């Protein structure tokens, strides 16, 4: 059956189908990460971004598709995580601009809006690279413009766009040699293909997988819950500022138990809980439903669950008490010792003229950054990219008159820049890709200088440091002619794998040796959650044998993913 216009109903179904599809495909998209390291997060970022967009679209009360597309674009903008999420938001920002004011979209309206999305996405990237999501959106948009000359049936047109996106995706390895060497397609491009597949399935009436069909594993659930908890406490120092006291989680066996009075319906179940708090996560299959929510009424949450089934597991944490404990047991008596406490300066201190905001994780890393002048921390980094909203909130809630943001991760650059554009105070981004670069940049921070001067001088200092990271390979692959085996350790210097070895200590030592040159003076070793001070001392001893005049410093960083972060200046 031909479809000649997209109404609010069709549009809403398409958007929700895309969010569901990306949730289902997140792990697969993550696996397309070129580097075989445990930090692939393109799928997670795109899914989180689209879920935010879908939420804004659902909450928009207008039945005007132009208004709904604007709401989608706003939700994508504020929920965007990582470069892939930002580019996705730009595609639909362009789409919304072209669709503005339209009650429904006919065939020409739709292809023009999507084509405008491609143009806006290209403009958003400083140096557009072919072989990425940009290639996929451009070529699929052109296919739509071609098809609309032949038919007004949107089912045929959207299918043509989807098929063209698949063809464009398969060409990405020919356009980016690194993709071809590793044997994968572009991960961001794959995410856009999944969005378009969902549009195609929804509009044509093909079977569309719903949220209830998606069964994330426990690791995914834990990551989503951790991200919500980080977001909830970000920017909160005083326990009194925490809006909801109880982090409540439960696992309900649907249809089981003595108190069952209702048959499970996702929207009914979700909407009731949404009124009880925030940071709500509801995931289900045919047998169980998992719930995470921050609330003042955990008893009501549990009672609601029992109306649909018995409670298999329950966890309730008093977040206010936890925050009080963190403050009470701060071994330095300084409220900035924890991730949450570091999010804002002490209330007794006046707000700084300039907020210096960094993205980081690990208590030791945070202490170092604070000692170098950082005033606010956004909890995150690899695998935990903050959203635009997270960064905007940190800026706006800082109480400062202006702000500098250090993303400390290349995948957060575009999100930070997007946040700077919509923040309430003047904001500049210092493009530090690593913690080491951030530390070097902060050495040149001058509280008396203006934003532009600080940004320029701090970024100039970034080039004075080499950044090394040690982690493990998650799959067999070949990169830059190097054969890498799963579970081997990798030494990565400024984004390039320079060492691979089954032994962690040897990997770190050989990596540092390759980082040294005749101008090297200072080596800084941060050992993380999976590193030890003993091994850090062994690395230090080995490096001293190479050059005993080096100043070698060791700190407990506490960072996840990377057992050792090592910088050379």
């Amino acid at each position: 059956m031909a479809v000649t216009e997209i109404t609010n109903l069709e549009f809403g179904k398409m958007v929700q189908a895309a969010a569901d599809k990306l949730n289902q495909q997140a792990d697969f998209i993550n696996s397309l990460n070129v580097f075989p390291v445990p930090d692939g997060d393109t799928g997670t970022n795109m899914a989180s971004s689209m879920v935010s967009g879908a939420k804004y679209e659902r909450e928009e009360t207008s039945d005007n598709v132009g208004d709904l597309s604007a709401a989608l674009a706003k939700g994508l903008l504020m929920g965007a995580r990582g470069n892939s999420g930002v580019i996705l938001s730009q595609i639909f920002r362009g789409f919304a601009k072209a669709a503005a004011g339209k009650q429904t979209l006919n065939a020409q309206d739709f292809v023009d809006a999507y084509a405008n999305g491609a143009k806006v996405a290209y403009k958003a990237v400083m140096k557009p690279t072919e072989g990425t999501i940009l290639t996929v959106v451009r070529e699929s948009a052109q296919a739509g413009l071609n098809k609309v000359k032949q038919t007004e049936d949107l089912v045929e047109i959207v299918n043509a766009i989807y098929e063209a996106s698949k063809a464009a995706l398969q060409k990405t390895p020919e356009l980016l040699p690194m993709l071809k060497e590793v044997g994968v397609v572009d991960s961001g491009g794959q995410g856009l293909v999944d969005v378009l597949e969902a549009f195609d399935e929804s509009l044509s009436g093909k079977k569309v997988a719903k949220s209830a069909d998606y069964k994330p594993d426990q690791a995914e659930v834990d990551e989503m819950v951790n991200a919500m908890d980080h977001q909830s406490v970000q920017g909160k120092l005083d326990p009194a500022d925490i809006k909801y006291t109880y982090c409540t989680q439960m696992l309900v066996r649907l249809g089981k138990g003595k108190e069952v009075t209702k048959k499970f319906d996702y929207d009914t179940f979700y909407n009731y809980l949404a009124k009880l708090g925030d940071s709500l996560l509801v995931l289900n299959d045919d047998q169980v439903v998992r719930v995470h929510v921050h609330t003042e009424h955990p008893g009501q949450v549990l009672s609601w669950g029992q109306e649909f089934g018995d409670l298999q597991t329950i966890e309730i944490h008093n977040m206010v008490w936890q925050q009080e404990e963190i403050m009470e047991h701060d071994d330095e008596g300084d409220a900035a010792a924890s991730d949450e406490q570091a999010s804002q300066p002490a209330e007794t201190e006046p707000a700084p003229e300039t907020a210096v905001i960094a993205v980081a994780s690990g208590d030791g890393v945070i202490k170092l950054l604070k000692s170098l002048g950082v005033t606010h921390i956004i909890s995150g980094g690899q695998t935990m990219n903050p959203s635009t909203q997270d960064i905007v909130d940190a800026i706006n809630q800082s109480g400062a008159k202006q702000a500098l943001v250090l993303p400390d991760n290349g995948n957060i650059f575009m999100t930070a820049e997007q946040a700077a554009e919509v923040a309430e105070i003047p904001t500049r981004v210092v493009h530090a890709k690593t913690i080491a670069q951030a530390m070097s940049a902060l050495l040149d921070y001058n509280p008396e200088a203006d934003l532009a001067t600080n940004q320029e001088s701090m970024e100039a200092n970034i080039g004075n440091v080499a950044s090394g990271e040690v982690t493990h390979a998650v799959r067999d692959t070949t990169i830059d002619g190097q054969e890498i085996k799963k579970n081997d350790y990798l030494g990565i210097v400024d984004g390039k794998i320079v060492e691979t070895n089954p032994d962690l200590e040897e990997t770190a030592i050989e990596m540092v040796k390759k980082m040294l040159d005749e101008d090297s003076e200072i080596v800084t070793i941060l050992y993380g959650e999976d590193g030890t001070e003993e091994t850090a001392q062994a690395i230090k001893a080995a490096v001293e044998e190479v050059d005993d005049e080096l100043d070698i410093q060791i700190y407990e960083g506490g960072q996840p993913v990377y057992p050792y972060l090592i910088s050379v200046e």
Side-chain angles (χ1 to χ4, degrees):
M1 179 178 175
V3 175
T4 57
E5 69 173 0
I6 294 174
T7 68
N8 61 313
L9 296 177
E10 282 85 15
F11 188 75
K13 290 177 182 177
M14 291 165 69
V15 170
Q16 188 58 54
D20 289 343
K21 179 73 74 173
L22 283 175
N23 264 331
Q24 295 169 44
Q25 290 289 94
D27 276 350
F28 173 67
I29 298 170
N30 287 343
S31 74
L32 298 175
N33 185 29
V34 171
F35 274 7
V37 296
D39 63 1
D41 49 14
T42 301
T44 303
N45 286 340
M46 294 186 79
S48 297
S49 304
M50 197 70 196
V51 166
S52 174
K55 179 177 182 293
Y56 274 64
E57 189 276 336
R58 285 196 308 271
E59 293 175 350
E60 172 57 56
T61 57
S62 171
D63 62 359
N64 180 299
V65 175
D67 294 339
L68 294 174
S69 61
L72 169 64
K74 179 65 178 296
L76 278 162
L77 168 72
M78 301 312 293
R81 297 177 188 270
N83 294 339
S84 56
V86 172
I87 294 173
L88 188 65
S89 77
Q90 294 303 307
I91 291 171
F92 285 99
R93 177 187 177 200
F95 185 102
K97 284 184 175 180
K102 297 185 184 296
Q103 183 68 31
T104 62
L105 300 182
N106 62 28
Q108 191 67 54
D109 293 336
F110 183 85
V111 297
D112 287 346
Y114 185 61
N116 194 56
K119 291 179 182 178
V120 170
Y122 264 86
K123 289 179 181 179
V125 180
M126 186 174 297
K127 295 181 180 179
T129 301
E130 295 300 333
T132 65
I133 186 175
L134 295 175
T135 301
V136 176
V137 70
R138 176 175 54 79
E139 295 197 3
S140 59
Q142 186 59 53
L145 292 169
N146 295 339
K147 190 68 177 179
V148 77
K149 296 175 183 178
Q150 304 167 11
T151 180
E152 295 182 354
D153 184 356
L154 278 155
V155 172
E156 292 186 26
I157 291 168
V158 171
N159 181 256
I161 291 172
Y162 165 54
E163 293 295 335
S165 74
K166 289 196 294 182
L169 179 67
Q170 293 308 310
K171 292 194 299 185
T172 57
E174 301 302 322
L175 298 171
L176 275 181
M178 181 68 78
L179 295 176
K180 186 173 185 178
E181 182 181 21
V182 176
V184 296
V185 294
D186 178 67
S187 56
Q190 178 66 62
L192 180 58
V193 168
D194 291 328
V195 168
L196 295 173
E197 181 181 22
F199 283 3
D200 178 51
E201 291 175 336
S202 177
L203 200 59
S204 65
K206 298 173 186 174
K207 182 181 183 299
V208 180
K210 298 180 181 179
S211 297
D213 297 323
Y214 176 52
K215 303 176 183 179
D217 60 26
Q218 191 58 47
E220 286 181 83
V221 175
D222 290 344
E223 184 171 346
M224 285 186 276
V225 168
N226 288 338
M228 286 184 167
D229 288 342
H230 277 304
Q231 183 176 354
S232 177
V233 299
Q234 184 268 317
K236 311 283 190 188
L237 175 61
D238 190 335
D241 289 336
I242 297 176
K243 186 175 181 181
Y244 293 105
T245 304
Y246 302 102
C247 174
T248 304
Q249 300 182 57
M250 65 180 176
L251 181 64
V252 183
R253 290 197 308 164
L254 295 174
K256 306 289 185 181
K258 301 176 180 179
E259 302 294 323
V260 176
T261 60
K262 293 181 173 62
K263 185 176 180 181
F264 182 79
D265 173 75
Y266 185 89
D267 290 337
T268 300
F269 189 86
Y270 183 99
N271 291 338
Y272 176 85
L273 294 174
K275 298 175 183 177
L276 296 181
D278 64 12
S279 297
L280 176 61
L281 178 67
V282 176
L283 300 168
N284 70 286
D285 58 24
D286 293 335
Q287 298 178 326
V288 299
V289 58
R290 293 186 179 95
V291 173
H292 167 279
V293 64
H294 295 169
T295 182
E296 285 299 300
H297 307 287
Q300 292 183 34
V301 173
L302 303 182
S303 295
W304 181 243
Q306 283 185 289
E307 293 193 36
F308 296 87
D310 61 12
L311 306 183
Q312 186 171 342
T313 60
I314 300 169
E315 288 187 32
I316 301 174
H317 301 290
N318 184 320
M319 296 186 293
V320 172
W321 176 79
Q322 288 176 331
Q323 186 73 359
E324 291 170 346
E325 286 289 291
I326 289 171
M327 295 176 69
E328 182 179 345
H329 292 91
D330 181 356
D331 54 15
E332 292 191 12
D334 181 350
S338 70
D339 271 11
E340 291 86 354
Q341 290 169 302
S343 298
Q344 287 194 2
E347 286 190 344
T348 56
E349 298 176 3
E353 182 80 12
T354 301
V356 182
I357 302 168
V359 180
S361 58
D363 287 350
V365 170
I366 290 169
K367 286 180 181 179
L368 279 172
L369 293 176
K370 295 283 284 185
S371 72
L372 292 170
V374 168
T375 60
H376 298 70
I377 293 289
I378 299 173
S379 199
Q382 280 305 131
T383 74
M384 294 190 302
N385 294 164
S387 68
T388 305
Q389 185 72 66
D390 293 334
I391 300 175
V392 169
D393 287 346
I395 296 168
N396 292 345
Q397 295 172 11
S398 67
K401 296 181 180 179
Q402 57 187 14
L404 289 166
V405 178
L406 290 84
D408 302 345
N409 185 301
N411 201 37
I412 305 175
F413 280 4
M414 293 183 71
T415 312
E417 288 162 355
Q418 197 160 252
E421 289 182 10
V422 299
E424 296 173 357
I425 59 176
T427 302
R428 293 290 185 101
V429 178
V430 177
H431 294 83
K433 289 184 177 181
T434 66
I435 295 298
Q437 289 185 356
M439 291 167 63
S440 182
L442 287 163
L443 294 175
D444 226 31
Y445 169 63
N446 179 3
E448 304 301 321
D450 60 38
L451 282 182
T453 300
N454 266 322
Q455 181 192 40
E456 182 178 355
S457 61
M458 291 171 76
E459 290 195 342
N461 226 28
I462 287 173
N464 298 330
V465 60
S467 303
E469 305 163 331
V470 179
T471 188
H472 70 277
V474 295
R475 66 173 184 271
D476 294 348
T477 191
T478 301
I479 296 180
D480 292 334
Q482 296 184 84
E483 289 191 12
I484 297 169
K485 299 297 183 183
K486 182 179 179 179
N487 295 325
D488 276 359
Y489 290 99
L490 305 175
I492 305 171
V493 179
D494 293 326
K496 183 178 178 62
I497 297 175
V498 300
E499 183 65 27
T500 177
N501 193 302
D503 184 87
L504 175 58
E505 185 177 314
E506 290 182 15
T507 302
I509 291 170
E510 293 304 313
M511 181 189 76
V512 180
K513 288 180 179 179
K514 292 175 182 177
M515 296 170 68
L516 298 173
D517 60 32
E518 60 184 14
D519 296 323
S520 299
E521 297 179 352
I522 302 171
V523 177
T524 303
I525 302 171
L526 298 176
Y527 61 93
E529 290 178 349
D530 299 320
T532 66
E533 183 176 6
E534 180 181 6
T535 299
Q537 291 290 351
I539 297 169
K540 176 181 178 180
V543 174
E544 286 176 333
E545 290 182 6
V546 177
D547 185 347
D548 60 6
E549 294 186 1
L550 289 168
D551 178 8
I552 304 176
Q553 304 168 357
I554 296 175
Y555 300 95
E556 181 180 4
Q559 71 275 0
V561 182
Y562 298 99
Y564 299 95
L565 297 176
I566 303 176
S567 64
V568 176
E569 301 176 66

